[in-house]
Amino acid sequence: MDTGILVDDALLLVEQNFYFLHAGEFFDAVSRQTDLSQHYDPCIYKKFEDGSGYLFNPAIIQEVMADARQIGTEHPTLFEYFVAFNAIRGICMAMVEAVKLESPFRDYMQRKLASRFEDFIDIISFVRNVLSHNIHAEIRLDEKDFKGTRERILRMRRDPGIHFRLDYATTLPEMGTPVEGYRFVCQVNFASLEAGMPFLEVIPQSTLMKLGELCFNFVVGYRLLR
């Protein structure tokens, strides 16, 4: 397939997942504030183009809605958990695919990030790996999540202690900034990672959200300058 089409599809996927993240967080907030099972029929029948259909289990839907009402705001609901981590995984997956192809978008990213380009690839690859392979509720690291990236860093004779910092006003002035001094900062010491470590102690969820936002803003910035 044409490289340009592949890159465009990957960039679209970054945008779609970022929109999905926002819509999902909104619907989660609504489900916490309103008992939706009392206002809407939980019997949902999906009909497909081939004429077949599928009836979703209303008891499961009611259970998820009841769960949302009972969990405190300091804890994620089942819906929010899967929305957030699947969206971030999708964003990083698409971004990795986009930057590894020789294209005007990769050139744009290299110009924007300069010496930080490889560090950025390492971070999004790591996040993609963890969220793609994870089967633990607590999201604990497996060696395959970071081993390849760590070996890549060492082969390139780079510092495995990555401290990535980006100031929006300097790097993405075309995007504007929500507040003065708005920046993205992420630190990962690949030399100290071990299997079993909690992922969110390595990269907090707030940083993951801002990473998703940064990927989205790179895509929008690229489109603005085309």
Side-chain angles (χ1 to χ4, degrees):
M1 185 177 290
D2 181 80
T3 299
I5 294 176
L6 290 173
V7 172
D8 285 343
D9 286 348
L11 300 186
L12 179 60
L13 195 57
V14 171
E15 294 171 310
Q16 290 172 329
N17 273 282
F18 195 63
Y19 276 84
F20 168 60
L21 175 62
H22 281 67
E25 290 289 344
F26 169 77
F27 285 119
D28 178 71
V30 171
S31 70
R32 288 175 183 267
Q33 299 165 19
T34 306
D35 186 354
L36 297 176
S37 65
Q38 299 299 314
H39 294 272
Y40 298 96
D41 185 356
C43 294
I44 300 175
Y45 182 76
K46 179 78 173 180
K47 194 168 184 179
F48 300 98
E49 293 181 357
D50 62 1
S52 64
Y54 182 83
L55 177 63
F56 290 87
N57 191 319
I60 292 178
I61 293 174
Q62 288 180 319
E63 185 176 342
V64 172
M65 292 300 98
D67 172 73
R69 291 283 290 153
Q70 294 168 7
I71 291 181
T73 55
E74 69 277 11
H75 299 294
T77 64
L78 179 69
F79 180 71
E80 181 186 20
Y81 177 91
F82 282 100
V83 163
F85 290 113
N86 276 288
I88 297 300
R89 180 192 62 80
I91 289 170
C92 289
M93 176 193 70
M95 199 68 173
V96 168
E97 294 302 315
V99 296
K100 77 179 185 182
L101 295 170
E102 294 294 338
S103 70
F105 179 71
R106 180 183 170 90
D107 295 340
Y108 163 82
M109 292 295 295
Q110 289 177 318
R111 287 197 307 273
K112 286 291 185 180
L113 293 175
S115 62
R116 297 167 296 175
F117 178 72
E118 299 297 342
D119 288 347
F120 179 74
I121 290 179
D122 292 333
I123 291 170
I124 59 175
S125 297
F126 173 57
V127 174
R128 184 272 310 269
N129 290 345
V130 173
L131 297 182
S132 295
H133 301 152
N134 176 65
I135 57 173
H136 304 286
E138 297 177 342
I139 315 183
R140 293 188 176 274
L141 300 186
D142 189 289
E143 187 179 32
K144 64 178 176 290
D145 296 332
F146 56 83
K147 183 180 179 181
T149 300
R150 182 161 63 193
E151 290 176 347
R152 174 180 180 271
I153 292 171
L154 295 177
R155 282 198 306 271
M156 298 177 74
R157 298 184 179 181
R158 292 168 40 234
D159 186 353
I162 290 177
H163 185 171
F164 183 93
R165 175 187 172 117
L166 181 145
D167 293 289
Y168 270 79
T170 303
T171 306
L172 287 168
E174 62 271 21
M175 295 300 300
T177 56
V179 293
E180 185 177 352
Y182 194 64
R183 62 180 59 89
F184 172 75
V185 178
C186 182
Q187 300 181 64
V188 181
N189 187 347
F190 283 92
S192 66
L193 297 182
E194 296 179 358
M197 293 177 65
F199 174 56
L200 295 181
E201 290 183 8
V202 180
I203 303 182
Q205 190 170 352
S206 59
T207 302
L208 291 174
M209 294 296 180
K210 290 181 180 179
L211 176 61
E213 176 189 53
L214 178 61
C215 291
F216 174 80
N217 284 332
F218 272 131
V219 174
V220 174
Y222 171 70
R223 295 197 190 284
L224 288 174
L225 297 176
R226 290 180 70 175

